[in-house]
Amino acid sequence: MTMLKLFGIIFFCGLLSPSQEVLSGLSCAISPGAMQNVLSDAILQNGLLQQHLQGLVLPNIMGEGGLLNSPTSITGLHLVKVRLPKLSVVLLPGIGVQLTIAAKLELSGNCLVGLLSELIDILVDVNITANIKCTNFESGTVQVIIEDCLCILGAVKIKLLSGLLSLSVNEIVLNQLTATLPGLLCPVVDIVVNLVNIQLLGTLNAVIPVGTAGTIHYQLASLPFTSGLFLGLDLDGAVKQVGGSIIPHDSSPSALPPLLDKLLVLGLRQSFLNAALSLLLQIPPQTFPCTPEVVTRGARAATSTCPRFPQCSTCLGTSPLSIKLMLSGNPLILLEENRATVELSVMIQVFINRLDGSILNLLLLKADLGLNAHVSLAGGRLVLGLSLG
């Protein structure tokens, strides 16, 4: 499962953090490694950075002191390829995320030295560091801004087709790129980061249908926050029945266990799951007619029939019994250490269908069932397997 898909099921977070902090509502904590995977996939692996750098327009480079001290001009300089890009993330406590992108930029253009014109290839190492901060929270959305973007150039390799290259040309190119590239690269990184923010917010603000019974809507409840060990998100979760009525659940704070060496730990608050179960477990009443059946075992036959009431004048004595099972109230899940139990209240109705079409109730019984729940994740979904205790 990719990390972007993990963000898509992030509403299952609730009981996690690398500290014993107390967070309200649905919450989750994400390690720097998880953030690095998410941003690397979105910015580098999906080609977003390469795409926006393709339109990079570099100014012409003019200078003196080329071959035989002739004037030098480099025009049409453009990006050919971003080589070996690498992204790293550091969390800044109380501020945000520090993003660093290291890459080799392959540039190409036309070089005129004196009367000699030929192609020029430039390979330059760049290291871009930008501090990303979330701000302006409103209705589940946040704005990201980049502060203190720093672009440092490393080694520069220049190649002319003729191989005739003076040290002065190398110095001219290095000086010009050092003066112009940072002002061109930082705005591109700002655009890319904002596009990624829109993508991620789309996974943090979603309405998930629960069959035809209702929906679960979740979105950011406040600005993300950072410590030196994790990025934290608080989420609002609303469980709605068809028609729009909200099933209430308790969102009071709870202590969170340590994240330890996990990239992202998913948890779920018990009260939120109870609200979701009330949508998931909407079983229609089940009726079982009790009809005669014959069971043969070798040469012996045993006939099993439902009881009849020949001496009861109101029973009419000819109709078999029927049993009807109906859910009573909402299901409840109880979460304990290494154990989960689902409690169901069931109404059991035993009755007779009279010949005139009316129903005679013989017994109405309320039963409380305790089901063992096995919790697992499969295909990005939370799965509950229930069995009788």
Side-chain angles (χ1 to χ4, degrees), residues 157-350:
K157 296 181 180 179
I158 304 174
K159 179 181 178 182
L160 287 173
L161 187 61
S162 65
L164 299 175
L165 181 66
S166 67
L167 292 177
S168 58
V169 172
N170 190 86
E171 184 179 353
I172 291 171
V173 171
L174 178 60
N175 291 338
Q176 290 289 336
L177 291 182
T178 301
T180 58
L181 266 184
L184 297 174
L185 295 179
C186 281
V188 172
V189 172
D190 183 69
I191 293 173
V192 168
V193 167
N194 274 279
L195 289 174
V196 171
N197 179 54
I198 294 172
Q199 293 176 15
L200 294 183
L201 283 178
T203 69
L204 294 176
N205 190 341
V207 177
I208 300 176
V210 182
T212 59
T215 59
I216 295 177
H217 179 205
Y218 65 96
Q219 65 178 12
L220 275 177
S222 61
L223 281 172
F225 56 95
T226 56
S227 74
L229 299 174
F230 71 97
L231 171 74
L233 300 173
D234 279 342
L235 304 174
D236 280 333
V239 182
K240 295 184 179 181
Q241 295 175 315
V242 172
S245 60
I246 296 178
I247 301 175
H249 66 274
D250 179 22
S251 59
S252 57
S254 60
L256 306 180
L259 189 62
L260 298 179
D261 59 346
K262 301 295 189 298
L263 290 178
L264 174 67
V265 180
L266 301 180
L268 186 62
R269 195 176 302 281
Q270 179 174 294
S271 59
F272 181 76
L273 184 54
N274 281 332
L277 281 179
S278 64
L279 288 182
L280 294 170
L281 296 181
Q282 293 195 4
I283 304 173
Q286 304 291 315
T287 301
F288 306 94
C290 195
T291 55
E293 63 180 34
V294 176
V295 180
T296 303
R297 297 175 183 171
R300 300 178 60 187
T303 301
S304 174
T305 63
C306 294
R308 298 178 184 274
F309 300 88
Q311 296 180 356
C312 176
S313 60
T314 59
C315 299
L316 299 182
T318 58
S319 300
L321 295 177
S322 292
I323 300 175
K324 186 175 184 179
L325 301 179
M326 298 166 288
L327 283 180
S328 175
N330 293 325
L332 294 176
I333 187 167
L334 302 178
L335 301 178
E336 304 172 85
E337 187 174 356
N338 299 322
R339 183 183 179 187
T341 306
V342 174
E343 292 187 350
L344 296 177
S345 291
V346 180
M347 297 299 296
I348 303 174
Q349 179 186 8
V350 181

Side-chain angles (χ1 to χ4, degrees), residues 339-342 371-377 382-387:
R339 183 183 179 187
T341 306
V342 174
L371 306 178
N372 293 327
H374 175 71
V375 184
S376 61
L377 280 174
L382 182 67
V383 179
L384 290 178
L386 304 180
S387 61

